[in-house]
Structures are given as C-alpha cells and as structure tokens.
Amino acid sequence: MGQPTPARSDDWWRSAVIYQVYVRSFADGDGDGTGDLAGVRARLPYLAELGVDALWFNPWYLSPMKDGGYDVADYRSIDPAFGTLAEAEKLIAEARELGIRTIVDIVPNHVSDQHPWFRAALAGGPERDLFHFRPGRGEHGELPPNDWRSEFGGPAWTRLPASPDPVQDGPSRSADTGGDWYLHLFAPEQPDLNWAHPAVRQEHEDILRFWFERGVAGVRIDSAALLVKDPRLPDFTEGRDPHPYVDRDELHDIYRSWRAIADEYGAVFVGEVWLPDTERFARYLRPDELHTAFNFSFMACPWDAARLRASIDETLAEHAPVGAPATWVLCNHDVTRTVTRYGRADTGFDFATKAFGTPTDLALGTRRARAAALLSLALPGAVYLYQGEELGLPEVEVERELIQDPMHARSGGVDPGRDGCRVPLPWAADAPYAGFGSRRTPWLPQPDGWADHAVDRQLDDPGSMLSLYRRAIRLRPAFGDGPLTWLPAPDGVLHFARAGGARCLVNLSDTPAALPDPAGILLASGPLDPDGRLPQDTAVWLRA
Ligand code: NOJ
C-alpha cells in the first residue's frame, strides 16, 4: 500500500482538503448576476469553518468566457466581471490569514482567440509561429490539415479567410473560402499554442513566477498532457504510439523546469492528467516533476465495492514508487454532480454517455454520496471538494436555450454540457436567488427547490450534507498519516484501517453489516439499523 510520508508543515499538500471555487457561481458580491472575488472574500469565514486547507480557483483571468474562463486573454489580469488584481492579492492574503492556501489554474495548452498573441498572428505577425497554422489539404486547401477531432466535438481545425484579417471580433469561421487553418483541441476560440517555440515556454515560466510572487501556494495545470504535438501533425491512427498529441515524452522536460521554479517558492502543482495507463500517469509525479495529479479513475469508478477497492489499490500502487500522494476526487466543474451520478443506473462517469433526461433517484444518490464522502476523506492523500458538493447539490438539467457550455452546441445539442454542475450556490433559503447575492437572475438560473439546499438551512440541521462534511473534515486527523490496511469484511463491504489511526467501513451490499465495535463510532453517514448494524450505502468511521 502507499506509504504516506509523515506530515511536515511544508507537506500540507500531501493530505490537504482542497476546495474548488468556480468563481462565476460561488457568491455574487456586486449583485450583477455573476459570482466574483468580492463574493469569495465575504465567504472566507464559511470556508474556514468548513475546515478546508486550500482553495483552487478555476481561471479568474481576463477572458471572453467562451469556455468558462479556460479561454484566457491575459494571464496577468483578473476578468472585470470577477474583480481586479488588487482584489485577488487581498483575497490570497486574507485566506492565508485564515490558514487557507490558494491554488490558481494555469491553462498552458491554449489561449483565447482574443489574446494579443493570436490577434497579432492573425494580423500576419511573427506570432504566427506561436500557434499551429497549416495550409489545408485538398485541391483548394478546403480540407483540414489532419483528422484530429476537438475534445468538444467537430474538427480540431478552423480555416481563416484568404487574406489576413485585422481582427476585431475574432477569426472568421468560414470554411469554404480561404487561407490557412489553425489548430484548437477545444473550441475554435481556444487556439493551441506551439510548445516547440521557446517564447511559449518562457512566457509560461514568467506567468508562474507572476502568481508565485503574489503568494499563491500552488498551480493546477489544465490539460497537462496535451501541450506537445508531433511536429509533423500526422493523422490520428488508433493505437499509434506515441500519440500525436497526448502524453508526449517532451512534456516531462517542461514540467521539470516548472518544478525548479515552484521549488524556489515552496509551491506545488496538481496536474489535470487524464491517462488510462497508470505507469505513464505516474511519470508525471516523479520527484522532480509534478507534486500531484487528479485521480480521475476514482472519480469515474462506479459505486461498486470490488471496483472501488480495485481503484483504491491501483491508485496507491501507482503512486507508491514515485513517492507522490494520491488525490481523491468525486466531482469537479466538468462532470455530473456526485449525488446525481450515484442515483443513476450507471454510477460511473463518462463524457461520451451524458444525455438529457437520464432517470435519477436523488435520495439514493445522496445516501451514497454521503458514504462516498466518508470513504474519500478516510483515504491516504489529498481530497478535492467541488463547491456545492458539501451541500449535496444535484446536477441541474439546464434548459437548452440557456446552456453556455460549448460542449453542448459542438455536440450538435446531444450532450447536455457541463453547466448543470455550475449553477450558482444557494446561501440563504429566504433571500432572493437563494442568497447568491444577485439583484437579478444569475448567469445560470437556479431551479425550483434550490433554496432547500441553502447553507443557512443546512447549518441548522445536524443531519445535513454540510454538517456531515464539517464534522468529517474536523475528525479526519483521527486517521493519522499512516498507510491503509484492508481488514476482513463480507462481500460488498469495504473495511480498512490507517496505521495508528481510525477505521472506515462502507457497506455497498444489500445485507446489513455487523460493526466490529459499535461503541467506537466516530461518525456515520446515515442512521444504523435498529439492531446497530450498518445498512446498505452507509459508511462509518470507528475509533482506533
Ligand atoms: C479542462 C477544464 O477542466 C475544462 O473545463 C476546459 O473546458 C478544458 N480543460 C479546456 O481548457
């Protein structure tokens, strides 16, 4: 099993609880319908009370918001909808005073089409070399340079008009006339950078320093395994090794130089690395590369005891040789909310199978999500908590006309997109817009019943999801920082101890499970049977 290193103060990230703030939807300080930094600053006491160690902010930089801020026009300024750089600096300092560190989100694979580099490139400047421009194939260049697909659907290439256009509103999307094509693994408004160019590397190293100088303790790296492309830009052939743009060996050199910079500041990285190959995944976590990476296989794992146990074992086994701590993730701003996912026939997660109108049993999903919260908070490593998860918020089926996420439109309207997990938080049940702070309808409207999940209501209810999370985060140190040992348990029951610490039992079977020590209960995710046994979809923590 993984052998977590004993805690030191500069090792906070090895066992931290990290709360993800999607600023647009967290709290609206100025009432304009969009969450902002003023809203976050006002709610810092809430986050301190919850007991989290760090905040990860989704991109808060200047952005046309074609992909919720992952289309960055200037990495050194804050989008005016969110606030100012001075406010961000205050927020970082105020959080630190409450013992909470800040992690910012860096998006190195692409920029906004409104970024000065791309605008200069379109105007015919040498900045063209900072992107991937190519002539098209076919007699008149009317076919894209290769067959790569955008992660959001459709081709990964967009063609420019015949002559360079002094762009005011972004490139023309015309596909039948024209000039060269440019590569975008995501939306057309997110042109991919050319990481073979030294200026691209230099710029990102400067951006890292810019934020480390402002006191951020960590950086989340967006699309971390996609930056480097095969310079020949060949067609994608299933099984081609190496892949033309995923997990290229050249990436490791980039992250080694980033690590040297982070070490100067005592800062840490968490990589967004989606890779099925555990050995390849672990390479990013070698001691001179990234400190941590998100554990998406655990997140996507169905609610099944054997599969969860296998996922936990694989996670710990892949991290152990490189000495990196695991991370445990149940949800984020890209995936179906936990209580909804666990209330469906398919309890795993896969972008490809998202659909409108999926039947959901929210009571069942909530019971499981409560048990999953205790499971993940008992495991060795760091835990990520996505805003609203602590409130048990369900996924919202946003009306088609209101969906902003490009995944929806680019799937031809088949994929509901990711806005359903981005609906503004409810803070006060009886206030307008459930206390989000807006004076008008928020950027994504809240559905009926949203106020039932409000923070103020949950604070008064010892049986609420919020009360469970608050107690669990407070009690979590009872597990210590030792490794995990599986203990005997009936089929469908997960039972483990942490060395020198508490034990966790989760019953995923339909047979109630006897507790080894009913007197020693620290915390339970739901009521026990009248005879003291642990019912289905329930977890307990037991004292050492
Ligand atoms: C991953 C981010 O989590 C997602 O929200 C974004 O759309 C893509 N990367 C592109 O930046």
Side-chain angles (χ1 to χ4, degrees), residues 3 79 127 132 193 196 246 280 303 358 373 376 386 396 406 428 483 505:
Q3 304 291 323
D79 194 89
E127 289 81 359
H132 299 282
L193 288 167
V246 178
R280 297 288 307 183
W303 185 247
T358 311
S376 53
Y386 173 48
V396 175
L505 259 111

Side-chain angles (χ1 to χ4, degrees), residues 177-201:
T177 56
D180 282 352
W181 299 69
Y182 68 89
L183 176 70
H184 51 83
L185 290 183
F186 294 91
E189 296 88 353
Q190 293 167 296
D192 277 44
L193 288 167
N194 172 15
W195 271 86
H197 197 296
V200 172
R201 278 185 77 150

Side-chain angles (χ1 to χ4, degrees), residues 67 70 107 110 152 186 190 220 222-223 272 333-334 418 422:
D67 180 22
Y70 283 93
V107 189
H110 43 268
F152 290 163
F186 294 91
Q190 293 167 296
R220 180 246 186 206
D222 187 69
S223 306
E272 190 206 15
H333 64 293
D334 291 330
R418 300 163 295 176
R422 300 171 177 180

Side-chain angles (χ1 to χ4, degrees), residues 336-420:
T336 310
R337 279 208 179 265
T338 318
V339 302
T340 301
R341 204 172 69 238
Y342 285 153
R344 292 181 166 173
D346 176 2
T347 50
F349 178 77
D350 187 344
F351 284 106
T353 56
K354 288 181 75 185
F356 284 94
T358 311
T360 307
D361 178 344
L362 278 183
L364 174 65
T366 302
R367 217 163 45 238
R368 290 173 171 170
R370 292 174 65 92
L374 294 200
L375 169 62
S376 53
L377 285 162
L379 293 168
V383 175
Y384 279 83
L385 176 57
Y386 173 48
Q387 70 179 39
E389 210 177 340
E390 83 280 20
L391 304 178
L393 293 184
E395 183 82 3
V396 175
E397 191 148 301
V398 179
E399 285 175 47
R400 288 173 188 269
E401 317 73 75
L402 299 175
I403 297 177
Q404 299 196 16
D405 180 16
M407 270 188 131
H408 173 63
R410 288 189 63 90
S411 72
V414 174
D415 185 329
R418 300 163 295 176
D419 287 348

Side-chain angles (χ1 to χ4, degrees), residues 12 36 66 89 105 130-131 139 206 217 226 242 334 362 448 474 491 516:
W12 63 273
D36 46 36
K66 299 293 183 197
E89 288 169 348
D105 204 327
L130 304 174
F131 299 90
E139 204 180 328
D206 290 352
L226 302 183
D334 291 330
L362 278 183
D448 290 344
R474 206 159 299 145
D491 274 356

